[in-house]
Amino acid sequence: MIKSKISNNSKILILGGCRSGKSSQALQLAENMGPRRIFVATCVPHDKEMQRRVDLHRHERGDSWTTREVPLDLAGTIRKTGSSADVMLVDCLTLWLSNLLMENDDEARIKESIRDLAQAVGSAACGVILVSNEVGAGIVPENRLARHYRDLAGWTNQAMAAVCDRVVWTVAGIPVTIKPSPQECAP
Amino acid sequence: MIKSKISNNSKILILGGCRSGKSSQALQLAENMGPRRIFVATCVPHDKEMQRRVDLHRHERGDSWTTREVPLDLAGTIRKTGSSADVMLVDCLTLWLSNLLMENDDEARIKESIRDLAQAVGSAACGVILVSNEVGAGIVPENRLARHYRDLAGWTNQAMAAVCDRVVWTVAGIPVTIKPSPQECAP
Amino acid sequence: MIKSKISNNSKILILGGCRSGKSSQALQLAENMGPRRIFVATCVPHDKEMQRRVDLHRHERGDSWTTREVPLDLAGTIRKTGSSADVMLVDCLTLWLSNLLMENDDEARIKESIRDLAQAVGSAACGVILVSNEVGAGIVPENRLARHYRDLAGWTNQAMAAVCDRVVWTVAGIPVTIKPSPQECAP
């Protein structure tokens, strides 16, 4: 677990590869940020199998969480709902980006959405925890859309890291705080 | 090199991308953990070319190592052989997982094998060094089996990290100790 | 930004995934290493679209930089030009490796080029900043050439890290210094 203090309206980005333990880490952090917790799921189930998984996750989180399914308008949701929550946990940004791309793959429009989200996060009335995937450390994909997606995911992560107080890189379930830097953290 | 002290029966996970220097790092660590060293190779050569490479690696390790080829039963090997060794080095877990998947891709069975290995490592009579690949930081693979494999590899790495005293993230030949955390390590 | 002091003829490797902020980080570091700055671009534009991007980047760097396009002979360029510069910034090594592979994919020849570059960097008369991609933390590619490339990229990164005073791992725009290690950096 992360030892140093998290203030109540901290903005935190949790980054890592697939199955690196990002979501568990995010849930644990949120538990210490106040009782009014909103889980913002960017995954909207399209079939029964997905619905069952989503229900299972909701059950595992327990009654202390309110769940909202928000495939696209994260910025608006944070602006409208932030003042009634202690913490909003968005899981995850890379799926949000997929949703944006599937709706309309115009790069200028997507970059505007990224900037708008960064603005909403940075000025949110409550704590915000963002979960996102690192997808750019493998071989360059042959598929053009995948290359575009990976560029946009990198830009998203940079934009969010810039407005967050804290960035955590997760490896094999272990959280490594990279912002503030370990040197700055030291006593 | 890793500076802080490694106790004799430490459990260590060395993680990193392809050609990040994990195996060299593991061998260097093992040299300081006692003279009775067992190298557990999960790669079983299927042709002359592979056999030559395996023989070359064995030659490079030198006479201070005993080599065992174990494609599947790592937990059993650690339990049966641990008390006669100072250190067992398993290279690597991601290949072990491939071997398990090729034999039988039932998820429940594989998760049971992962839990069983974590139990064997955590309670081993000797030091254990595990080498494993990070495979989840690239773009989502189009191939369903590859997606399944990458989920299982992430779960394997998390399960092993949880029972290890020390986890090392390797980048470009440089070992970065992430467990215990740098803050906890500091004097 | 990286806080600790960078000496004038430091050798620095900036590593990270795609769109992780490596190039911006490299430019920022170079600004503090003296006024005579050479940007060594390994990308040679093949069409008008690429030429426009290259011109844009050159314009963004401003007049304090001299730009050289060097697809292959990085070692020779560093040896010949180093004494007339304060800092040379090479962006990026993974593209240089692609150029080498496209010219001739003989492994022994490429490994010799990697060793030669490491030698030139280590003994350069000026500061050198190398930008390179981590490409080995995704799933194993099905394509044989991609697997070969990723092995070579890993070896390149290890060879350069070994001769550099400082290695920076970049995630979401955040520089994490991994050499010297955080423990060694601490006061």
Side-chain angles (χ1 to χ4, degrees), chain C residues 109-187:
Chain C
R109 195 190 68 99
I110 292 177
K111 286 190 167 175
E112 178 52 36
S113 297
I114 295 171
R115 273 190 296 271
D116 189 42
L117 177 57
Q119 204 282 332
V121 169
S123 60
C126 63
V128 177
I129 301 179
L130 305 167
V131 172
S132 188
N133 280 71
E134 174 59 57
V135 299
I139 210 79
V140 180
E142 291 175 38
N143 177 319
R144 204 183 62 82
L145 180 61
R147 286 200 302 275
H148 190 208
Y149 175 73
R150 154 179 126 117
D151 282 348
L152 291 168
W155 284 321
T156 300
N157 291 343
Q158 284 194 49
M160 300 310 144
V163 297
C164 282
D165 317 306
R166 180 172 293 264
V167 179
V168 179
W169 171 245
T170 309
V171 180
I174 299 169
V176 182
T177 300
I178 57 174
K179 179 183 179 181
S181 77
Q183 285 90 336
E184 293 175 78
C185 282

Side-chain angles (χ1 to χ4, degrees), chain A residues 17-19 21 134-137 172 174, chain B residues 15 136-139 151 154 158 161 167 178:
Chain A
C18 167
R19 304 295 169 204
E134 173 61 56
V135 300
I174 299 169
Chain B
L15 269 175
I139 210 79
D151 282 348
Q158 285 193 50
V167 179
I178 59 175

Side-chain angles (χ1 to χ4, degrees), chain C:
Chain C
M1 262 301 292
I2 295 168
K3 296 292 162 51
S4 60
K5 291 217 177 77
I6 307 287
S7 79
N8 269 5
N9 67 347
S10 284
K11 315 304 183 228
I12 303 172
L13 174 64
I14 315 264
L15 268 175
C18 166
R19 305 295 169 203
S20 62
K22 302 179 297 295
S23 298
S24 308
Q25 199 52 235
L27 285 169
Q28 281 183 56
L29 281 173
E31 309 279 321
N32 300 313
M33 290 169 75
R36 296 175 307 160
R37 300 171 196 145
I38 298 175
F39 188 91
V40 181
T42 55
C43 171
V44 175
H46 292 300
D47 57 33
K48 278 190 183 170
E49 167 62 24
M50 281 175 77
Q51 186 64 55
R52 253 188 300 146
R53 284 176 184 237
V54 164
D55 291 346
L56 178 67
H57 285 308
R58 192 184 294 223
H59 179 74
E60 287 173 349
R61 282 193 295 277
D63 289 342
S64 69
W65 285 90
T66 303
T67 299
R68 306 266 320 253
E69 282 169 6
V70 182
L72 294 168
D73 188 21
L74 293 180
T77 303
I78 291 172
R79 289 195 183 102
K80 271 175 264 162
T81 324
S83 58
S84 64
D86 292 313
V87 57
M88 296 179 84
L89 194 173
V90 180
D91 193 346
C92 67
L93 295 184
T94 25
L95 187 54
W96 167 71
L97 191 61
S98 292
N99 295 339
L100 280 178
L101 263 171
M102 281 201 293
E103 203 206 28
N104 178 341
D105 69 353
D106 177 62
E107 184 169 307
R109 195 190 68 99
I110 292 177
K111 286 190 167 175
E112 178 52 36
S113 297
I114 295 171
R115 273 190 296 271
D116 189 42
L117 177 57
Q119 204 282 332
V121 169
S123 60
C126 63
V128 177
I129 301 179
L130 305 167
V131 172
S132 188
N133 280 71
E134 174 59 57
V135 299
I139 210 79
V140 180
E142 291 175 38
N143 177 319
R144 204 183 62 82
L145 180 61
R147 286 200 302 275
H148 190 208
Y149 175 73
R150 154 179 126 117
D151 282 348
L152 291 168
W155 284 321
T156 300
N157 291 343
Q158 284 194 49
M160 300 310 144
V163 297
C164 282
D165 317 306
R166 180 172 293 264
V167 179
V168 179
W169 171 245
T170 309
V171 180
I174 299 169
V176 182
T177 300
I178 57 174
K179 179 183 179 181
S181 77
Q183 285 90 336
E184 293 175 78
C185 282

Side-chain angles (χ1 to χ4, degrees), chain A residues 103-143:
Chain A
E103 202 206 28
N104 178 341
D105 69 353
D106 177 62
E107 184 169 305
R109 196 190 67 98
I110 292 178
K111 285 190 168 176
E112 179 51 37
S113 297
I114 295 172
R115 273 189 296 270
D116 189 41
L117 177 56
Q119 204 282 330
V121 169
S123 60
C126 63
V128 178
I129 302 179
L130 306 167
V131 173
S132 189
N133 279 72
E134 173 61 56
V135 300
I139 210 80
V140 180
E142 291 176 38
N143 178 318

